[in-house]
């Protein structure tokens, strides 16, 4: 989600213009209609923050390092059907929208909610998944509601929806960090008292750290995930069509079960 010798001047200018036209991916080569028939063999760059399982995380196996997850599977399905090759890049969450604005990426997927302040700087797809916020704490700490964490040190991911929600709560000592894994380590070390983390992500971290627990915060508004694009992107409409296909075919439900294990 990129002159000392007169003889070289024309060649240099040509190269710069060519690079400018190409941009970060291939969407800029297509017409404003985003016609998928013109995309075969082209590449799109997806930027994400790969510390947010099951949406995206690093999988290391035999010396290889691959970014995998719910968002990545959706991106692969959509770009494959539209005829694009896909390149995935890992960036700190708070750097995703700035990178998108700088046209270093064609789109961003990171369990991101299209809040009004984000809509000022990016276009978003339709919502593809809705989740809830939770309070993660050490077992037995009895920190279950926003009232319980008043006056406590609470960890959130920098630039996230959870950081924004924490700032609305009264009396919190907010500790903003780049990575969810760092927040969990701070919690386990006792340097923070609790963390506000999305439920599907909290499930994974508490399963891997049995000394921790999570409690769901009562929601006052929907908090769904959508795909972010540069303002005026030619591919937004095509992505929405593909998202609808994934929903209508049941493939999206299959991916939800795969990554969130909703039957447990």
């Amino acid at each position: 989600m990129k002159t000392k010798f007169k003889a070289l001047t024309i060649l240099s200018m040509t190269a710069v213009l060519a690079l400018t036209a190409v941009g970060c991916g291939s969407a800029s080569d297509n017409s404003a209609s985003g016609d998928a028939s013109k995309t075969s063999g082209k590449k799109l760059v997806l930027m994400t923050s790969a510390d947010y399982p099951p949406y995206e995380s690093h999988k290391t196996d035999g010396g290889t390092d691959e970014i995998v997850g719910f968002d990545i599977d959706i991106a692969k399905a959509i770009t494959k059907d539209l005829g694009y090759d896909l390149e995935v890049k890992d960036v700190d969450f708070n750097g995703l929208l700035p990178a998108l604005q700088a046209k270093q990426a064609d789109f961003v997927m990171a369990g991101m909610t299209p809040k009004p302040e984000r809509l000022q700087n990016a276009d978003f797809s339709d919502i593809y998944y809705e989740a809830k916020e939770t309070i993660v704490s050490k077992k037995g700490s009895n920190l279950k509601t926003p009232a319980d964490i008043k006056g406590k040190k609470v960890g959130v991911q920098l630039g996230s929806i959870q950081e924004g929600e924490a700032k609305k709560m009264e009396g919190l000592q907010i500790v903003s960090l780049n990575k969810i894994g760092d927040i969990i380590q701070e919690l386990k070390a006792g340097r923070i008292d609790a963390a506000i983390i999305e439920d599907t992500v909290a499930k994974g971290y508490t399963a891997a750290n049995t000394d921790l627990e999570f409690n769901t915060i009562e929601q006052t508004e929907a908090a769904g995930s959508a795909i972010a694009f540069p303002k005026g992107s030619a591919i937004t409409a095509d992505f929405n069509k593909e998202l609808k296909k994934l929903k209508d075919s049941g493939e999206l439900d299959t991916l939800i079960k795969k990554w969130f294990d909703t039957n447990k």
Side-chain angles (χ1 to χ4, degrees):
M1 69 147 329
K2 204 193 128 328
T3 63
K4 293 184 178 181
F5 301 103
K6 291 183 178 179
L8 295 177
T9 301
I10 295 176
L11 290 174
S12 298
M13 291 178 64
T14 302
V16 170
L17 289 171
L19 287 172
T20 302
V22 171
C24 63
S26 59
S28 59
D29 294 335
N30 301 326
S31 67
S33 66
D35 187 351
S37 65
K38 298 180 181 180
T39 64
S40 180
K42 304 294 185 178
K43 180 179 76 174
L44 292 180
V45 174
L46 160 63
M47 279 192 178
T48 189
S49 180
D51 64 333
Y52 207 56
Y55 288 89
E56 42 269 323
S57 61
H58 286 274
K59 177 183 178 181
T60 54
D61 184 18
T64 61
D65 186 355
E66 180 184 8
I67 298 175
V68 299
F70 178 56
D71 282 346
I72 306 306
D73 278 1
I74 292 175
K76 286 180 178 179
I78 290 174
T79 53
K80 179 181 178 181
D81 283 350
L82 290 176
Y84 290 109
D85 293 327
L86 178 66
E87 180 180 355
V88 182
K89 294 184 177 181
D90 186 11
V91 176
D92 283 348
F93 187 86
N94 65 312
L96 290 173
L97 288 186
L100 200 64
Q101 289 178 276
K103 297 186 177 180
Q104 296 171 347
D106 293 291
F107 65 108
V108 160
M109 294 183 75
M112 186 175 285
T113 301
K115 291 285 188 176
E117 60 271 22
R118 290 175 177 164
L119 288 166
Q120 294 176 12
N121 300 309
D123 289 339
F124 281 84
S125 71
D126 298 332
I127 298 291
Y128 60 86
Y129 186 73
E130 292 188 14
K132 298 178 180 180
E133 308 301 348
T134 74
I135 296 171
V136 180
S137 61
K138 288 186 177 180
K139 282 185 177 178
S141 63
N142 202 33
L143 301 178
K144 299 179 178 181
T145 69
D148 296 331
I149 58 176
K150 184 176 180 180
K152 304 292 186 181
K153 287 185 177 180
V154 179
V156 291
Q157 188 174 37
L158 186 65
S160 68
I161 290 298
Q162 293 75 33
E163 183 182 44
E165 292 301 314
K167 289 178 178 178
K168 297 176 185 177
M169 297 180 188
E170 186 179 352
L172 301 190
Q173 299 178 50
I174 299 172
V175 179
S176 299
L177 299 170
N178 279 323
K179 301 289 186 181
I180 297 292
D182 294 341
I183 296 171
I184 295 298
Q185 290 306 312
E186 291 295 288
L187 179 57
K188 289 171 69 69
R191 288 186 285 269
I192 59 175
D193 302 298
I196 299 176
I197 299 174
E198 187 176 305
D199 61 344
T200 52
V201 178
K203 287 176 185 177
Y205 277 104
T206 53
N209 298 272
T210 55
D211 56 329
L212 303 180
E213 65 180 8
F214 72 91
N215 291 277
T216 302
I217 300 173
E218 184 177 348
Q219 300 294 112
T220 57
E221 60 182 24
S225 298
I227 305 168
F229 303 89
K231 279 288 189 182
S233 173
I235 61 175
T236 307
D238 283 336
F239 270 58
N240 276 333
K241 290 176 184 177
E242 293 301 320
L243 280 174
K244 187 177 186 302
K245 288 180 185 178
L246 289 175
K247 292 175 183 177
D248 292 345
S249 68
E251 187 174 349
L252 185 60
D253 285 337
T254 299
L255 293 178
I256 290 171
K257 289 177 183 178
K258 171 185 175 181
W259 289 103
F260 301 123
D261 203 9
T262 54
N263 289 323
K264 288 188 177 181

